[in-house]
Amino acid sequence: MSETHTRVCSQILRTVVIVVIVCLAIPLASGQNAKPNLTGNWAVKTPRNDGTFSKVYFDLKQDGTKITGTIRSTQFYYQISESTGDADGFTVTGSMKDGGSTRTVKYEGKLVGDELHLSTRRRPEDKPTESIAKRVPDGEGALPAKLPLPTLHKVPYNGLAKTPPMGWNSWNQFKSRVSDELVRGVADAIATNGMKEAGYVYINIDDTWEGEQRDAQGNITTNSKFPDMKALADYVHSKGLKLGIYTSPGPNTCAGYEGSYGHEDQDARTFAAWGIDYVKYDWCGARTLYTNEEMPAVYQKFGDALQKTGRPIVYSLCQYGNLEVWKWGADVGGNLWRTTGDISDRWDSMTRIGFGQNDHAPFATIGHWNDPDMMEVGNGGMTADEYKTHMALWSILAAPLLAGNDVRNMTQATKDILLNREVIAIDQDKGGMQGKRVWQSGEQEIWVRDLAGGDKAVGVFNRGAAAADITLKWADLGFKNKVKQVKDLWEHKDIKVDTAEYKVTVPSHGAAFFRVGK
Ligand code: GLA
C-alpha cells in the first residue's frame, strides 16, 4: 500500500467519523431523541347527543418518573397523589376530599404520537373504559377560584309548599333522555290522566338540560334538547301545571353540565324570567370548592337569590342529608331538603331510605319538608306490594310526592297506587306532622301519623319474606281501647272494629294502610 493511498484512506475514515458524530449530535442537541414528556394540559372530550361534551381534564407535570398535577372529571377535581412510569406507560392516582371521606380515581395510560391513550375502571372488578386525551391550551378546565361566602342570616319563609310538593321529576326514569318533547308529553299526560286533579302539579326537569357554554353576558343556556325554555314554561303553565328546573352551586352538576357557581343571582333571575316555579339545587361540583360545614352559607346564597327575583319559587335542597340539613334547611329558605343519597328502583334501596326517616320527624313543618327522594312507583324494579309500601310510607313521612316514572304510559296497578286519593290525603294533610314508628317486631313495623282534626294514619308494614298476621292494639297506637272508624285506604273499605285489637294479614313486602278516627 502506497503512502498516498494510506493518507487518502485515513482522510476518508476521519470524514466518516466526523459525519457520524455530527449526525448523532445534532438530534441529541435539539432534543429530538429525548424521551417524550407528559407535561401539559390534556382533555378527553366526548360529544353527547345534545350539543354538549363530557370532558375530563388532565393537567400534568412530569419530572423523571414522577407525575404530578390534577384530574378534573365531571363534578370531581382530584390532585394526583401517586404515579408510576412515564410516557411509555404510566399510572396516575388522583384523590380528593369529599365531605368526611376521600375519593380516588386511577388512570393507566401511555403517550402515542401526541395523544394520551387512557383507561380507567370505576371499580377494580369493572371492565376498563378507554379514552383518548388531546392537548388543550393551558388553563382550560382549571378549577375556578373559591368565592367568599356570605355570613349567615335567616332567609324568610317564601310562603310556598304548605303541604309537601307533588308532581313529577325526570331523573329516576329518563336521566339524560329528558327533553322539551318529553316534558310536553308528560304535562299533557298529567293534565288529562287524573294526576293534576290529584295534586301532581310540578313538572320538574332534572339534570342534563344545560348548554355547553354561557352566553357572552354570562347567562346560562340550554342545550339542543331544550330549544326554548320560556316557551316550554308557557306550555306547561297553559295546562294549569308548574315547571321546575335543576342546577348546582358548583361549577358542574352531577352529570358534568354547567352549574350556577359564581352566577347564582344571574341564574335565579334567568329562571324567574323563563317562568320557573321550582328549583332543585344539587351540591355536586360544589364539593370541589367547599366543605360540608360551608353548606348552609352556600344554600343561603341561592335562597336569597331566588327571593330577590320576586317570583314565588319552591326551593329544594339536594345535598344528600349532610351536616344534618333538617336542622338548618328551613333557615336558608329551603322548602324541602333531601335527607339521604339517591334512591334506586329496588326494594332494599327504597326501604333503607324510607324506614330510616324516623329521627327526622320533628323537623318537618308546614312549608319545610324532609325529602327521602323522588318516587320509583311504576318503574318496574319492585312488585305492586312493594310500591304500595313505598307510597304508604312516603305519605306517612309527609314526603314530597314526585312521581319518577313514565306517566304517559302507566299500568292500572301503577295508577291505583299513584292516584289513590285517600292515600294522597294522608300525605297532604294540613297538619304537616311527619309520622313515626310506634311498634316493631322483627321485620314487622307499625307507623302512625297524627292528622289534623284528630284522625291518625296507621301503616302496617311487613318487610319479611312471608305473609304475616299483625295485631293492632289500639291502646298501644295512641287511641283509647276502642276506635270509632277504620278505613282501609288500599281496599277503599270501611271496617267495623269494635274490639280493642284488630288483626290484619300483610303480604310479604306489603303494607296495610288505615285512616283511623278516635
Ligand atoms: C344527584 C341527585 C339526583 C339527580 C342527579 C342528577 O345524584 O341526587 O337526584 O338529580 O344528581 O345528576
Side-chain angles (χ1 to χ4, degrees), residues 137-375:
D138 282 351
E140 189 185 313
L143 191 70
K146 180 173 169 174
L147 295 172
L149 289 167
T151 51
L152 289 177
H153 64 92
K154 193 170 163 17
V155 179
Y157 171 45
N158 59 10
L160 302 172
K162 294 229 159 82
T163 60
M166 289 179 67
W168 173 88
N169 175 292
S170 56
W171 188 254
N172 284 356
Q173 172 61 235
F174 294 96
K175 306 260 181 321
S176 65
R177 286 174 292 125
V178 64
S179 66
D180 177 285
E181 193 190 346
L182 173 74
V183 172
R184 284 173 195 254
V186 164
D188 292 345
I190 288 184
T192 52
N193 67 8
M195 287 184 79
K196 176 178 149 185
E197 288 72 26
Y200 293 92
V201 293
Y202 288 99
I203 313 283
N204 293 347
I205 301 165
D206 209 279
D207 203 355
T208 79
W209 62 267
E210 308 86 343
E212 179 68 10
Q213 271 180 335
R214 290 176 176 272
D215 71 12
Q217 286 72 46
N219 296 308
I220 195 155
T221 58
T222 56
N223 62 44
S224 62
K225 293 185 297 172
F226 289 90
D228 186 342
M229 200 61 93
K230 169 89 172 70
L232 180 58
D234 290 346
Y235 184 80
V236 171
H237 293 156
S238 77
K239 301 273 162 186
L241 300 167
K242 295 177 183 295
L243 187 65
I245 211 163
Y246 164 102
T247 188
S248 169
N252 292 103
T253 67
C254 287
Y257 285 72
E258 179 75 12
S260 288
Y261 181 71
H263 295 271
E264 294 80 0
D265 281 310
Q266 191 174 16
D267 288 358
R269 284 197 301 273
T270 300
F271 297 157
W274 284 342
I276 297 294
D277 307 293
Y278 183 119
V279 178
K280 171 173 168 183
Y281 204 45
D282 191 357
W283 185 242
C284 298
R287 72 180 97 219
T288 58
L289 290 157
Y290 296 113
T291 63
N292 281 4
E293 287 62 41
E294 290 170 308
M295 282 178 170
V298 170
Y299 278 86
Q300 175 196 290
K301 193 174 184 183
F302 200 67
D304 278 334
L306 287 177
Q307 294 213 357
K308 273 187 262 168
T309 68
R311 184 176 172 85
I313 299 177
V314 170
Y315 185 26
S316 159
L317 276 49
C318 177
Q319 41 76 287
Y320 335 119
N322 278 303
L323 200 73
E324 302 185 304
V325 60
W326 40 90
K327 294 191 175 160
W328 52 266
D331 290 343
V332 300
N335 295 109
L336 60 156
W337 46 81
R338 280 271 297 279
T339 53
T340 70
D342 292 9
I343 195 170
S344 62
D345 186 19
R346 292 193 327 264
W347 168 252
D348 62 339
S349 164
M350 183 277 287
T351 51
R352 193 175 48 242
I353 290 178
F355 290 111
Q357 300 299 310
N358 198 47
D359 295 343
H360 306 144
F363 302 97
T365 54
I366 289 170
H368 311 286
W369 309 102
N370 291 306
D371 173 9
D373 209 356
M374 306 164 298
M375 288 191 290

Side-chain angles (χ1 to χ4, degrees), residues 463-486:
R463 300 171 68 176
D469 287 340
I470 301 174
T471 301
L472 307 181
K473 296 181 179 162
W474 303 120
D476 292 350
L477 303 182
F479 297 96
K480 301 237 172 65
N481 239 356
K482 289 205 178 160
V483 292
K484 258 210 240 127
Q485 263 180 318
V486 180

Side-chain angles (χ1 to χ4, degrees), residues 419-496:
L419 288 168
N420 184 318
R421 300 287 277 263
E422 288 171 309
V423 170
I424 292 171
I426 304 296
D427 180 77
Q428 295 289 299
D429 183 75
K430 300 270 180 294
M433 274 169 293
Q434 179 170 329
K436 296 200 71 168
R437 182 189 291 115
V438 296
W439 176 87
Q440 181 171 22
S441 168
E443 289 171 305
Q444 282 86 48
E445 305 190 12
I446 301 177
W447 288 60
V448 173
R449 177 172 174 187
D450 290 326
L451 304 172
D455 286 3
K456 290 177 196 286
V458 178
V460 188
F461 299 99
N462 175 13
R463 300 171 68 176
D469 287 340
I470 301 174
T471 301
L472 307 181
K473 296 181 179 162
W474 303 120
D476 292 350
L477 303 182
F479 297 96
K480 301 237 172 65
N481 239 356
K482 289 205 178 160
V483 292
K484 258 210 240 127
Q485 263 180 318
V486 180
K487 178 90 196 253
D488 184 323
L489 304 182
W490 289 127
E491 300 300 325
H492 302 287
K493 271 201 287 221
D494 288 315
I495 307 174
K496 272 208 123 17

Side-chain angles (χ1 to χ4, degrees), residues 37-55:
N37 190 289
L38 298 165
T39 301
N41 196 20
W42 306 83
V44 180
K45 296 188 183 178
T46 317
R48 302 188 185 104
N49 65 351
D50 54 18
T52 67
F53 291 83
S54 138
K55 287 172 287 200

